């Protein structure tokens, strides 16, 4: 187990460094003058010179990359050109919206998809299975932004159950904050639930065909007992990979949903930063999202080893 963790941690660090190098190369070593890209064609030579000095563009790229990495290690992401505020403060403020939204969407996705996937597999080739497959196909086919607009029209405009958008903050009332995130959570979770339902169904069906399942049934275990004791644990290994990727996608995929519901989250911040050509903010948020994906994959690999003893044995 220790050797496996050591190898995975080395891969984790190497992937993190490779991602940072690619992000830096794409955004900081752009063809042309980065200061001109950020300020636009109408910028004066004086303002371009001042911004170049502020960003350290007169230094070699490797030096700038080293400074950026050292700053990240200290928790310093630099200062936003558009907001004139430390990027870390902006990220902290926006994560207070995006992180709860992603966690709520992931929780809803996990509960709904596992229930529907197991239900469909246990009723393979029956009407219940067909109904779940039709619903999941609809969930995949319907665009997230259209579904989000539909939710706003129905629950906010017609029924007046919730507000059409905005976020009141967590300070005054926890319930008001959760209430503001309910519709965005549903909109964000529909596509991911549809995908995970189909994968859960396939994984459970595959395990149900294994010899050890037939042996368990031959020993007298009921179908329900076999499902809970033997099938779900083995099927969960395949499902876990998709769940890890989905949580990372939820963090990165909030741009559209946060824009539709006017939520001041991380997705909306990066969207505004791109519009404002604030490359300092864009670079650090992209790195943050890439790091989130890499960390989640690392955690999933560790959980693999915990769940599946064959993986631990292969690295001894």
């Amino acid at each position: 187990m220790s050797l496996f963790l050591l190898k995975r941690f080395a891969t984790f660090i190497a992937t993190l460094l490779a991602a940072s190098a690619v992000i830096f190369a794409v955004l900081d070593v752009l063809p042309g003058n980065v200061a001109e890209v950020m300020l636009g064609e109408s910028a004066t030579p004086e303002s371009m010179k001042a911004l170049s000095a502020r960003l350290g563009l007169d230094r070699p790229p490797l030096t700038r990359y080293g400074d950026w990495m050292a700053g990240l290690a200290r928790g310093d992401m630099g200062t936003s050109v558009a907001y004139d505020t430390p990027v870390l403060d902006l990220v902290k403020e926006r994560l207070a919206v995006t992180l709860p939204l992603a966690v709520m969407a992931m929780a809803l996705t996990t509960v709904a998809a596992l229930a529907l996937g197991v239900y469909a597999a246990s009723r393979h080739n029956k009407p219940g299975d067909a109904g779940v497959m039709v619903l999941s196909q609809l969930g995949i086919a319907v665009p997230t932004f259209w579904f989000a607009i539909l939710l706003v029209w129905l629950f906010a405009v017609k029924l007046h159950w919730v507000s059409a958008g905005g976020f009141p903050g967590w300070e005054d009332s926890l319930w008001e904050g959760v209430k503001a995130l309910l519709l965005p959570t549903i909109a964000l979770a529909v596509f991911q639930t549809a995908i995970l339902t189909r994968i859960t169904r396939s994984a459970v069906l595959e395990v149900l065909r294994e010899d050890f399942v037939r042996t368990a049934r031959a020993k007298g275990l009921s179908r329900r007992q076999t499902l809970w004791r033997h099938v779900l644990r083995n099927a969960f290994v395949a499902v876990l990979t998709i769940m890890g990727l989905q949580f990372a996608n939820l963090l990165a995929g909030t741009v559209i949903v946060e824009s539709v519901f006017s939520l001041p989250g991380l997705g909306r911040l990066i969207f505004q930063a791109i519009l404002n050509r604030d490359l300092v903010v864009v670079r650090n948020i992209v790195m943050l999202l890439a790091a989130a994906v890499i960390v989640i994959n690392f955690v999933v690999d560790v959980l693999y080893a915990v769940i599946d003893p064959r993986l631990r044995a292969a690295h001894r």
Side-chain angles (χ1 to χ4, degrees), residues 220-288:
L221 288 181
S222 67
R223 187 175 180 83
R224 183 186 296 272
Q225 288 173 322
T226 306
L227 194 66
W228 285 106
R229 292 184 188 179
H230 300 286
V231 175
L232 288 183
R233 180 171 178 173
N234 288 280
F236 193 67
V237 174
V239 174
L240 188 63
T241 306
I242 306 302
M243 288 175 63
L245 293 174
Q246 283 189 316
F247 187 69
N249 287 335
L250 285 173
L251 278 174
T254 56
V255 177
I256 295 174
V257 170
E258 287 180 354
S259 297
V260 171
F261 290 96
S262 300
L263 296 175
L266 203 61
R268 201 172 174 203
L269 174 62
I270 194 171
F271 179 69
Q272 292 168 333
I274 291 171
L275 291 180
N276 294 330
R277 303 178 183 179
D278 194 348
L279 296 186
V280 178
V281 173
V282 174
R283 179 184 63 190
N284 284 288
I285 294 181
V286 172
M287 184 63 217
L288 181 68

Side-chain angles (χ1 to χ4, degrees), residues 131-143 147 190-191 194 198:
V132 171
M133 286 300 96
V134 170
L135 285 177
S136 65
Q137 190 60 50
L138 279 174
I140 293 171
V142 175
F147 191 71
V190 166
F191 177 79
R198 298 179 80 87

Side-chain angles (χ1 to χ4, degrees), residues 18-179:
S20 67
V22 171
I23 292 168
F24 178 84
V26 170
L27 294 178
D28 270 50
V29 193
L30 290 169
N33 191 316
V34 175
E36 184 179 346
V37 172
M38 295 177 72
L39 294 174
E41 295 179 356
S42 59
T44 62
E46 292 76 17
S47 61
M48 286 176 53
K49 186 176 179 181
L51 182 60
S52 296
R54 180 178 170 184
L55 297 176
L57 297 176
D58 50 346
R59 289 175 295 163
L62 278 178
T63 304
R64 300 206 307 271
Y65 174 72
D67 290 344
W68 178 46
M69 295 304 293
L72 288 180
R74 297 192 306 270
D76 180 9
M77 293 181 167
T79 302
S80 164
V81 175
Y83 296 94
D84 197 22
T85 303
V87 177
L88 186 60
D89 292 345
L90 291 172
V91 169
K92 285 179 180 175
E93 180 185 332
R94 303 306 179 97
L95 269 180
V97 177
T98 299
L99 197 56
L101 174 61
V103 170
M104 288 170 63
M106 193 66 233
L108 178 60
T109 296
T110 303
V111 172
L114 291 183
L116 289 171
V118 172
Y119 173 81
S122 65
R123 287 160 177 76
H124 185 48
N125 287 336
K126 293 180 180 177
D129 181 23
V132 171
M133 286 300 96
V134 170
L135 285 177
S136 65
Q137 190 60 50
L138 279 174
I140 293 171
V142 175
T144 300
F145 76 91
W146 186 86
F147 191 71
I149 293 172
L150 183 65
L151 288 175
V152 171
W153 174 80
L154 180 61
F155 292 103
V157 178
K158 292 296 180 183
L159 299 177
H160 302 287
W161 288 359
V162 293
S163 62
F167 185 72
W170 299 107
E171 297 81 10
D172 297 333
S173 169
L174 178 63
W175 166 240
E176 290 299 323
V178 171
K179 191 177 171 184

